[in-house]
C-alpha cells in the first residue's frame, strides 16, 4: 500500500537526525504524495493518519535546518487549521443539515492532511479539533434526525403504496368474478355491454403487486374473450340461418306470383295460398335489412290474389280468410318489433 510505504520512509527520516537537514525536500515530497492519496481502506484510515502525524511531527521536532523555514511551515499550517476550525463553527448556522454534515466531513479531511504546527500549540489546536466537540455532536444529531425523518416518511409512503395495491387487487378480483359469471350468457347484446363497461372500469383501477398483476389480468381477459368468441360463433351461425330463411321466403313469393299468373280454379288457388302462408309463417327471421322489402312483396301478392278470388258462394269464407291473413300479419309485425 502506498500510504504504508510513505509512512515507513517518513519513519526513517524522523529517526535519522543527522540527515534531517538534507531530507527536508524529500519530506515535503512525501507529504504531497500522502495528500494525493484519497482512497484507503475505511478500517485503516485512523491508524494510518495517526502514524503519519506522529512521524511528521517527530521529523519536525528533530530537524536542525534553518529555523526560519521551519517556523514558516508551522505558521502556515496553524493558519490553515485555524481557518478550517472557523469554517466548521459556521456550519452550526447552516439550514441544510445534510449539506452541513458533508461539508464537516470535508473540513475534517483537510485538517488531517494539513501538516503539524509548533509543538507548544499542537495540543490546543487538537482540542479545538476540526470542530468543537459539542458542535460536532450537535451537527451530527441534526443530520441523524433528518435521516430518521426521511426514512420514516419513506416507510410510510411504501406502506401506503402496498395497502393501495392490495386494495386494487381485491377490486380486480371482483371484476374477474363478475366476468366469469357472465361468460356463459347467451344474451349477447346486454352481456356484451356489461363486459365492455367492466373493461373500462378495469382501466380506472391502479396497479397491483407485481407478482399478481399478470395472473389477475389473464383471469379477467380469459372470461371476456370466452364470451365474445361464443357470441361471434352464434352470430355467424344466425346469419347463415337468416340467409337460408330469406331464400325460402323468396321462393314462396315466386310461387304466389305463379298462382297469380295461372288460371287456377278458385278453390284450388285458395288452398294453395293457405298452404304457402302457413309455410311462410313457419320460417324464421331473415337479414334485418331485407325484412321490410320481403314483407311488402309478400303482402302485395297476397292482397292481389284475394282481390282476384271473388266467388259469391265463398265470399264469407274468403272474408274470414282475409281476416286471418290480417291477424297473422299483425302478429308477425309485433314479433319483429319485439325482436328489434
Amino acid at each position: 500500500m502506498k500510504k504504508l510505504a510513505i509512512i515507513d520512509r517518513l519513519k526513517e527520516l524522523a529517526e535519522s537526525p543527522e540527515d534531517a537537514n538534507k531530507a527536508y525536500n524529500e519530506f515535503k515530497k512525501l507529504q504531497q504524495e500522502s495528500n494525493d492519496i484519497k482512497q484507503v481502506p475505511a478500517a485503516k484510515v485512523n491508524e494510518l493518519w495517526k502514524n503519519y502525524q506522529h512521524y511528521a511531527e517527530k521529523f519536525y521536532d528533530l530537524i536542525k535546518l534553518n529555523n526560519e523555514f521551519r517556523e514558516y511551515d508551522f505558521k502556515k499550517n496553524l493558519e490553515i487549521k485555524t481557518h478550517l476550525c472557523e469554517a466548521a463553527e459556521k456550519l452550526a448556522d447552516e439550514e441544510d443539515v445534510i449539506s452541513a454534515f458533508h461539508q464537516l466531513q470535508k473540513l475534517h479531511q483537510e485538517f488531517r492532511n494539513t501538516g503539524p504546527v509548533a509543538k507548544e500549540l499542537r495540543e490546543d489546536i487538537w482540542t479545538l479539533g476540526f470542530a468543537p466537540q459539542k458542535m460536532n455532536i450537535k451537527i451530527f444529531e441534526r443530520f441523524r434526525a433528518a435521516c430518521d425523518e426521511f426514512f420514516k416518511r419513506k416507510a410510510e409512503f411504501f406502506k401506503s403504496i402496498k395497502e393501495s395495491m392490495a386494495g386494487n387487487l381485491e377490486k380486480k378480483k371482483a371484476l374477474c368474478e363478475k366476468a366469469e359469471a357472465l361468460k356463459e350468457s347467451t344474451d349477447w347484446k346486454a352481456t356484451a355491454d356489461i363486459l365492455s363497461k367492466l373493461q373500462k372500469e378495469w382501466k380506472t383501477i391502479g396497479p397491483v403487486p407485481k407478482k399478481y398483476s399478470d395472473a389477475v389480468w389473464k383471469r379477467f381477459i380469459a372470461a371476456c374473450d370466452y364470451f365474445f368468441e361464443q357470441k361471434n360463433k352464434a352470430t355467424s351461425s344466425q346469419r347463415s340461418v337468416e340467409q337460408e330463411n330469406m331464400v325460402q321466403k323468396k321462393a314462396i313469393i315466386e310461387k304466389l306470383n305463379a298462382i297469380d299468373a295461372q288460371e287456377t280454379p278458385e278453390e284450388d288457388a285458395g288452398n294453395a295460398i293457405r298452404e304457402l302462408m302457413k309455410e311462410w309463417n313457419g320460417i324464421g327471421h331473415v337479414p334485418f335489412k331485407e325484412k321490410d322489402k320481403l314483407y311488402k312483396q309478400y303482402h302485395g301478392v297476397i292482397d292481389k290474389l284475394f282481390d282476384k278470388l271473388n266467388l259469391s258462394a265463398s265470399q264469407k269464407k274468403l272474408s274470414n280468410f282475409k281476416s286471418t291473413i290480417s291477424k297473422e300479419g299483425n302478429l308477425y309485425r309485433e314479433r319483429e318489433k319485439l325482436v328489434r
Side-chain angles (χ1 to χ4, degrees):
M1 183 188 287
K2 292 182 179 180
K3 276 272 189 183
L4 286 175
I6 291 172
I7 291 172
D8 287 343
R9 181 54 184 156
L10 191 58
K11 180 180 178 181
E12 292 177 5
L13 296 179
E15 293 177 351
S16 304
E18 65 279 4
D19 298 323
N21 290 345
K22 297 178 181 179
Y24 184 77
N25 290 334
E26 184 180 354
F27 168 76
K28 298 300 289 185
K29 182 180 178 182
L30 291 172
Q31 191 177 48
Q32 184 59 48
E33 288 178 6
S34 178
N35 291 340
D36 290 341
I37 298 173
K38 304 300 181 184
Q39 301 294 331
V40 297
K44 297 290 185 179
V45 170
N46 287 332
E47 180 184 348
L48 291 171
W49 180 77
K50 288 178 180 178
N51 288 336
Y52 174 83
Q53 288 294 326
H54 172 73
Y55 291 115
E57 292 173 357
K58 188 173 181 181
F59 177 82
Y60 271 116
D61 291 340
L62 295 176
I63 201 168
K64 299 296 183 183
L65 85 165
N66 155 357
N67 280 335
E68 187 176 332
F69 196 22
R70 178 171 176 269
E71 292 302 320
Y72 174 79
D73 269 3
F74 286 165
K75 181 180 179 182
K76 199 67 178 175
N77 293 340
L78 179 61
E79 290 176 358
I80 293 172
K81 288 190 172 182
T82 301
H83 173 74
L84 292 174
C85 292
E86 291 172 351
E89 289 171 348
K90 291 179 180 178
L91 292 177
D93 299 324
E94 174 66 55
E95 292 295 328
D96 187 343
V97 67
I98 295 177
S99 173
F101 183 78
H102 290 304
Q103 290 181 63
L104 186 62
Q105 300 308 303
K106 185 178 179 181
L107 292 173
H108 189 186
Q109 188 58 44
E110 289 181 27
F111 190 96
R112 284 171 170 265
N113 292 338
T114 304
V117 298
K119 189 172 184 178
E120 63 274 14
L121 297 175
R122 288 174 193 169
E123 186 61 30
D124 291 339
I125 198 70
W126 180 248
T127 302
L128 186 59
F130 61 90
Q133 183 66 18
K134 65 178 182 179
M135 191 166 295
N136 184 37
I137 294 173
K138 181 180 179 182
I139 292 175
F140 180 77
E141 287 176 349
R142 285 176 61 196
F143 174 75
R144 184 70 264 167
C147 290
D148 289 345
E149 180 64 19
F150 167 78
F151 286 112
K152 176 185 174 183
R153 292 184 182 180
K154 178 185 174 185
E156 291 173 351
F157 171 77
F158 282 106
K159 181 181 178 182
S160 67
I161 289 293
K162 186 176 180 180
E163 291 173 352
S164 175
M165 285 187 172
N168 292 340
L169 179 61
E170 293 306 312
K171 291 178 183 178
K172 288 189 174 182
K173 284 182 178 179
L175 293 185
C176 289
E177 292 172 0
K178 290 180 181 179
E180 288 166 349
L182 291 169
K183 74 175 189 177
E184 298 289 356
S185 172
T186 56
D187 188 355
W188 307 120
K189 186 176 187 309
T191 305
D193 290 342
I194 294 173
L195 288 176
S196 295
K197 289 178 181 177
L198 292 181
Q199 289 175 349
K200 290 179 181 178
E201 184 178 349
W202 182 281
K203 293 178 181 179
T204 65
I205 300 173
V208 302
K210 189 175 181 180
K211 63 180 179 180
Y212 300 116
S213 60
D214 286 344
V216 74
W217 165 247
K218 287 178 181 177
R219 179 184 172 187
F220 176 72
I221 203 62
C224 294
D225 286 347
Y226 178 86
F227 167 79
F228 285 108
E229 286 171 6
Q230 301 308 308
K231 177 178 179 293
N232 290 337
K233 290 178 183 178
T235 302
S236 176
S237 175
Q238 181 180 346
R239 287 173 182 164
S240 298
V241 172
E242 289 177 351
Q243 289 291 332
E244 180 61 28
N245 291 342
M246 182 176 68
V247 171
Q248 293 180 29
K249 288 193 173 183
K250 283 184 176 180
I252 290 174
I253 292 171
E254 290 177 2
K255 290 178 182 179
L256 290 171
N257 283 326
I259 293 173
D260 181 42
Q262 295 175 359
E263 290 296 331
T264 307
E266 294 172 357
E267 186 173 350
D268 292 341
N271 290 334
I273 292 169
R274 280 192 292 271
E275 289 300 321
L276 289 172
M277 287 181 63
K278 288 180 182 178
E279 186 178 344
W280 175 279
N281 290 331
I283 299 173
H285 300 301
V286 299
F288 186 78
K289 64 181 181 180
E290 299 291 339
K291 179 181 68 64
D292 289 341
K293 179 181 177 181
L294 287 174
Y295 187 80
K296 288 178 181 179
Q297 290 177 356
Y298 170 72
H299 281 282
V301 69
I302 288 292
D303 290 343
K304 186 177 179 180
L305 286 169
F306 273 115
D307 290 340
K308 188 175 182 179
L309 296 174
N310 193 18
L311 293 176
S312 58
S314 58
Q315 186 68 38
K316 185 176 180 181
K317 186 176 181 181
L318 287 173
S319 177
N320 291 335
F321 186 37
K322 286 185 177 181
S323 176
T324 301
I325 293 174
S326 177
K327 288 179 181 178
E328 288 178 348
N330 288 335
L331 287 172
Y332 183 84
R333 284 193 292 273
E334 286 300 314
R335 184 179 69 172
E336 289 295 299
K337 189 185 297 182
L338 288 171
V339 168
R340 287 198 298 275

